[in-house]
Structure formats: structure tokens, C-alpha cells
Amino acid sequence: MKLSFEKEFQGLPQPTSQYSMILPLVLYDILSELPGNNWSPNTAKPRFVLSYKDLPFVTLWVECSDIAIAMEAVGAKPNKRRDGSDVYTVPVLSDPNTGALITDSLEIASYLEKTYPEKPIFPNNSEPLIRAFDSDHSSLIRPGIKSILARTTEILSPASAKSFIGAHSTDLSLSCNAKHDADLDLLEKGYNTAYEWYQKTDGKWIMGDTFSYPDIVIACYLLWYKRVLKEEEWGRISSWNGGKWAQVLADVEKECKLA
């Protein structure tokens, strides 16, 4: 089992933060062969939240092929597959300040909001609505990500790529470039709908002038595409809707101090 430890200095709090004296939280993330390792949209979500809230944290990188062994060893709660069976996943967040160990990006966000409420990501008691948004967003993009899942196997170690393919066998397309183009066409349709969401607000965020968790969710998927796709493929996505999605990613990274 391979684990890699790394401090996230970008997540260290500012001296004025009320959290400046707490112990660093521990985020379990997926190792890759990319510079900096990070690529997963689901593990990026808590990374962005932690950094936005000025919470100190460190990262433990886990090979995709070792996730089940590693998460069972630390006592993490498994998630559920669509068929109801158990599956160990990351992100997992360990908080030494409270003893909490949380699985799943949305549950981690909820925990962080309740435990460290400064700089809210569920403003104005919006968590129930944001939970519905999270589900709707996943349904919106799922039809178009099969080829992106395939591209992801190219940035993993051989053992982890094999494990990743097994975990996503029903959603992963390893076919020709023509199929890849068709997948991106489906993805573009989804983002045309997301663009309409933004057009209905008065500010640059989903909730107008108020930054919130939905902006992080959208940005983390865009980051995934940018990290694993070929340059021309990401260029295609970043040009949709007048360059809206490259701008959203840049804005959220800046807001979360990850630019």
C-alpha cells in the first residue's frame, strides 16, 4: 500500500483567522502521475472548501488501487454503490480537533460548515437546496464524461488505472476519437443548461453576489477536465459559452486562494 504525505501550505490560515490555533485537518486524496498529484473533482471539493475557510490541512495521497485497504484501516465509513453494496472511497477527512472522520465530499462540506462556520459555503440556511443542486449537477454532466473518465486512466499508475477501470466499467468509454467528440457534444449540452443557471443571477456566482458551495462544485469538475484532458480538448471546453467555464474556474480558484 502506497501513501504519500504532503503539507498544503495554501490551506494554512491567515494570522487573523479564528482557526489559526487548531491542529491541521487531514484530507485523503488520490495519487496520480501529474505534477502536484491532484485531479479528482470529488477530492478537490473539500480542498477548495478548506482553503476558502482558511483551515490548516495536510494531504495523505493514496493510490487508487489501495483506497479500500487504506480507508478500512483508518476506520472510514464506506459509501454505497448504485446497487446498494459497500465501497470505500475518497475523499475522507480526519479532524484531530474533534475526532471526526467523514466520508464523501458533500458530507465533508456539511461537517466543515457546521464545525467551522466562518466564511459560510451554505449561506442563509441553503444546505437543503444546495444538496439538490449537487444531485442535479451530477445528473447534468454524467452523460458526457465517459471519455474524460477514460483520459483519467492515462494519468494513473498501471495498478491504479486497472482499479479505476474496474470501478467505472459501466460509465467509462475507451473507444475511438469519434466517440470522444460525441461525448464532449453531450457534455456541452449539459453546460449550456448550467450557463442558463448563471444567466438567471445578478452576480458572477450561482447565488448572485454570494459565493457558495455550488460554485466550488462546478469549478472542481472543470479543474478535472483541465488536468486530465489534452490541451486542445480542454481548449474546446473552455471556449464554450463565450469562455464562461475557464473564467468560472479562474474566479473560484482565486476566491479559494488556490490560483
Side-chain angles (χ1 to χ4, degrees), residues 189-213:
K189 290 181 180 178
Y191 277 93
N192 286 339
T193 298
Y195 183 70
E196 293 174 4
W197 297 344
Y198 276 98
Q199 292 298 102
K200 293 176 181 178
T201 70
D202 294 328
K204 67 179 179 180
W205 308 119
I206 283 289
M207 298 179 71
D209 293 326
T210 303
F211 183 72
S212 63
Y213 188 66

Short mmCIF file of all heavy atoms in Angstrom, two decimals, residues 189-213:
data_model
loop_
_atom_site.label_atom_id
_atom_site.label_comp_id
_atom_site.label_asym_id
_atom_site.label_seq_id
_atom_site.Cartn_x
_atom_site.Cartn_y
_atom_site.Cartn_z
N LYS A 189 -23.92 20.17 -24.07
CA LYS A 189 -25.35 20.38 -23.84
C LYS A 189 -25.62 20.60 -22.35
O LYS A 189 -26.42 21.45 -21.97
CB LYS A 189 -26.14 19.18 -24.35
CG LYS A 189 -26.18 19.06 -25.87
CD LYS A 189 -27.01 17.85 -26.31
CE LYS A 189 -27.03 17.73 -27.82
NZ LYS A 189 -27.79 16.51 -28.26
N GLY A 190 -24.94 19.81 -21.53
CA GLY A 190 -25.11 19.99 -20.09
C GLY A 190 -24.65 21.35 -19.63
O GLY A 190 -25.32 22.01 -18.82
N TYR A 191 -23.52 21.81 -20.16
CA TYR A 191 -23.01 23.12 -19.75
C TYR A 191 -23.80 24.28 -20.34
O TYR A 191 -23.82 25.37 -19.77
CB TYR A 191 -21.51 23.22 -20.06
CG TYR A 191 -20.71 22.56 -18.97
CD1 TYR A 191 -20.33 21.23 -19.06
CD2 TYR A 191 -20.40 23.25 -17.81
CE1 TYR A 191 -19.64 20.60 -18.04
CE2 TYR A 191 -19.71 22.64 -16.77
CZ TYR A 191 -19.34 21.31 -16.89
OH TYR A 191 -18.68 20.69 -15.85
N ASN A 192 -24.50 24.04 -21.44
CA ASN A 192 -25.41 25.07 -21.92
C ASN A 192 -26.53 25.30 -20.91
O ASN A 192 -26.96 26.44 -20.69
CB ASN A 192 -26.00 24.65 -23.27
CG ASN A 192 -25.01 24.77 -24.41
OD1 ASN A 192 -24.01 25.49 -24.31
ND2 ASN A 192 -25.26 24.05 -25.49
N THR A 193 -26.99 24.22 -20.29
CA THR A 193 -28.00 24.34 -19.24
C THR A 193 -27.42 25.05 -18.02
O THR A 193 -28.07 25.93 -17.44
CB THR A 193 -28.53 22.96 -18.83
OG1 THR A 193 -29.16 22.34 -19.97
CG2 THR A 193 -29.55 23.07 -17.70
N ALA A 194 -26.21 24.67 -17.63
CA ALA A 194 -25.57 25.32 -16.48
C ALA A 194 -25.36 26.81 -16.75
O ALA A 194 -25.48 27.64 -15.83
CB ALA A 194 -24.24 24.65 -16.17
N TYR A 195 -25.06 27.15 -17.99
CA TYR A 195 -24.89 28.56 -18.37
C TYR A 195 -26.17 29.35 -18.13
O TYR A 195 -26.14 30.50 -17.66
CB TYR A 195 -24.47 28.65 -19.83
CG TYR A 195 -24.19 30.04 -20.32
CD1 TYR A 195 -23.07 30.75 -19.89
CD2 TYR A 195 -25.06 30.67 -21.23
CE1 TYR A 195 -22.81 32.04 -20.35
CE2 TYR A 195 -24.80 31.95 -21.69
CZ TYR A 195 -23.68 32.63 -21.25
OH TYR A 195 -23.43 33.90 -21.70
N GLU A 196 -27.30 28.71 -18.40
CA GLU A 196 -28.60 29.35 -18.16
C GLU A 196 -28.80 29.62 -16.67
O GLU A 196 -29.41 30.63 -16.30
CB GLU A 196 -29.73 28.48 -18.71
CG GLU A 196 -29.73 28.36 -20.22
CD GLU A 196 -30.77 27.37 -20.73
OE1 GLU A 196 -31.54 26.84 -19.89
OE2 GLU A 196 -30.81 27.13 -21.94
N TRP A 197 -28.29 28.72 -15.81
CA TRP A 197 -28.39 28.95 -14.37
C TRP A 197 -27.68 30.25 -14.00
O TRP A 197 -28.22 31.06 -13.24
CB TRP A 197 -27.77 27.80 -13.59
CG TRP A 197 -28.43 26.46 -13.77
CD1 TRP A 197 -29.67 26.23 -14.29
CD2 TRP A 197 -27.89 25.19 -13.43
NE1 TRP A 197 -29.95 24.88 -14.29
CE2 TRP A 197 -28.86 24.22 -13.76
CE3 TRP A 197 -26.69 24.77 -12.87
CZ2 TRP A 197 -28.66 22.85 -13.56
CZ3 TRP A 197 -26.48 23.41 -12.66
CH2 TRP A 197 -27.45 22.47 -13.01
N TYR A 198 -26.48 30.41 -14.52
CA TYR A 198 -25.71 31.61 -14.21
C TYR A 198 -26.37 32.87 -14.79
O TYR A 198 -26.30 33.94 -14.19
CB TYR A 198 -24.29 31.49 -14.76
CG TYR A 198 -23.33 30.74 -13.85
CD1 TYR A 198 -23.05 29.40 -14.05
CD2 TYR A 198 -22.69 31.39 -12.80
CE1 TYR A 198 -22.17 28.71 -13.22
CE2 TYR A 198 -21.80 30.73 -11.96
CZ TYR A 198 -21.55 29.39 -12.18
OH TYR A 198 -20.67 28.71 -11.35
N GLN A 199 -27.00 32.73 -15.94
CA GLN A 199 -27.63 33.88 -16.58
C GLN A 199 -28.82 34.41 -15.78
O GLN A 199 -29.23 35.56 -15.96
CB GLN A 199 -28.09 33.52 -18.00
CG GLN A 199 -26.94 33.25 -18.97
CD GLN A 199 -26.07 34.47 -19.17
OE1 GLN A 199 -24.99 34.58 -18.62
NE2 GLN A 199 -26.55 35.43 -19.96
N LYS A 200 -29.35 33.58 -14.89
CA LYS A 200 -30.51 33.99 -14.10
C LYS A 200 -30.12 34.70 -12.80
O LYS A 200 -30.99 35.08 -12.01
CB LYS A 200 -31.37 32.76 -13.78
CG LYS A 200 -32.03 32.15 -15.01
CD LYS A 200 -32.80 30.88 -14.67
CE LYS A 200 -33.42 30.29 -15.93
NZ LYS A 200 -34.14 29.02 -15.64
N THR A 201 -28.81 34.87 -12.57
CA THR A 201 -28.35 35.57 -11.37
C THR A 201 -27.85 36.96 -11.74
O THR A 201 -27.55 37.24 -12.90
CB THR A 201 -27.21 34.79 -10.69
OG1 THR A 201 -26.03 34.87 -11.51
CG2 THR A 201 -27.58 33.33 -10.48
N ASP A 202 -27.76 37.81 -10.73
CA ASP A 202 -27.32 39.19 -10.96
C ASP A 202 -25.82 39.38 -10.78
O ASP A 202 -25.29 40.44 -11.11
CB ASP A 202 -28.06 40.14 -10.00
CG ASP A 202 -29.56 40.20 -10.29
OD1 ASP A 202 -29.93 40.06 -11.47
OD2 ASP A 202 -30.35 40.37 -9.34
N GLY A 203 -25.14 38.37 -10.21
CA GLY A 203 -23.71 38.47 -9.98
C GLY A 203 -22.95 37.40 -10.74
O GLY A 203 -23.50 36.72 -11.61
N LYS A 204 -21.68 37.20 -10.38
CA LYS A 204 -20.87 36.22 -11.11
C LYS A 204 -20.98 34.82 -10.53
O LYS A 204 -20.46 33.86 -11.12
CB LYS A 204 -19.41 36.65 -11.16
CG LYS A 204 -18.68 36.66 -9.82
CD LYS A 204 -17.24 37.08 -10.04
CE LYS A 204 -16.45 37.13 -8.74
NZ LYS A 204 -15.05 37.52 -8.96
N TRP A 205 -21.65 34.67 -9.37
CA TRP A 205 -21.78 33.36 -8.75
C TRP A 205 -23.18 32.80 -8.96
O TRP A 205 -24.11 33.53 -9.34
CB TRP A 205 -21.48 33.45 -7.25
CG TRP A 205 -20.19 34.10 -6.88
CD1 TRP A 205 -20.03 35.22 -6.12
CD2 TRP A 205 -18.87 33.68 -7.23
NE1 TRP A 205 -18.70 35.53 -5.98
CE2 TRP A 205 -17.96 34.59 -6.65
CE3 TRP A 205 -18.37 32.61 -7.98
CZ2 TRP A 205 -16.58 34.48 -6.80
CZ3 TRP A 205 -16.99 32.50 -8.13
CH2 TRP A 205 -16.12 33.41 -7.55
N ILE A 206 -23.35 31.51 -8.68
CA ILE A 206 -24.66 30.87 -8.80
C ILE A 206 -25.71 31.59 -7.96
O ILE A 206 -26.87 31.73 -8.36
CB ILE A 206 -24.58 29.38 -8.38
CG1 ILE A 206 -23.93 28.54 -9.50
CG2 ILE A 206 -25.95 28.81 -8.06
CD1 ILE A 206 -24.79 28.35 -10.73
N MET A 207 -25.31 32.07 -6.79
CA MET A 207 -26.22 32.79 -5.89
C MET A 207 -26.00 34.30 -5.99
O MET A 207 -26.05 35.02 -5.00
CB MET A 207 -26.05 32.29 -4.45
CG MET A 207 -26.39 30.83 -4.29
SD MET A 207 -26.18 30.18 -2.60
CE MET A 207 -27.57 30.98 -1.77
N GLY A 208 -25.76 34.77 -7.20
CA GLY A 208 -25.60 36.20 -7.42
C GLY A 208 -24.25 36.71 -6.96
O GLY A 208 -23.21 36.29 -7.47
N ASP A 209 -24.26 37.61 -5.99
CA ASP A 209 -23.01 38.16 -5.45
C ASP A 209 -22.46 37.34 -4.29
O ASP A 209 -21.43 37.71 -3.72
CB ASP A 209 -23.24 39.60 -4.98
CG ASP A 209 -23.53 40.55 -6.13
OD1 ASP A 209 -22.98 40.35 -7.23
OD2 ASP A 209 -24.33 41.49 -5.94
N THR A 210 -23.12 36.24 -3.95
CA THR A 210 -22.73 35.43 -2.79
C THR A 210 -22.05 34.15 -3.24
O THR A 210 -22.65 33.32 -3.92
CB THR A 210 -23.96 35.09 -1.93
OG1 THR A 210 -24.60 36.29 -1.52
CG2 THR A 210 -23.55 34.29 -0.70
N PHE A 211 -20.81 33.99 -2.87
CA PHE A 211 -20.06 32.76 -3.18
C PHE A 211 -20.61 31.62 -2.33
O PHE A 211 -20.92 31.80 -1.15
CB PHE A 211 -18.58 32.98 -2.88
CG PHE A 211 -17.71 31.81 -3.22
CD1 PHE A 211 -17.43 31.49 -4.55
CD2 PHE A 211 -17.15 31.02 -2.22
CE1 PHE A 211 -16.61 30.42 -4.87
CE2 PHE A 211 -16.33 29.95 -2.54
CZ PHE A 211 -16.06 29.64 -3.87
N SER A 212 -20.71 30.42 -2.92
CA SER A 212 -21.28 29.29 -2.19
C SER A 212 -20.75 27.97 -2.75
O SER A 212 -20.03 27.93 -3.76
CB SER A 212 -22.81 29.31 -2.26
OG SER A 212 -23.26 29.16 -3.60
N TYR A 213 -21.14 26.89 -2.11
CA TYR A 213 -20.65 25.56 -2.47
C TYR A 213 -20.93 25.17 -3.93
O TYR A 213 -20.08 24.52 -4.55
CB TYR A 213 -21.24 24.52 -1.51
CG TYR A 213 -20.64 23.15 -1.66
CD1 TYR A 213 -19.30 22.90 -1.35
CD2 TYR A 213 -21.40 22.07 -2.10
CE1 TYR A 213 -18.75 21.64 -1.48
CE2 TYR A 213 -20.87 20.80 -2.23
CZ TYR A 213 -19.55 20.59 -1.92
OH TYR A 213 -19.00 19.33 -2.05
#
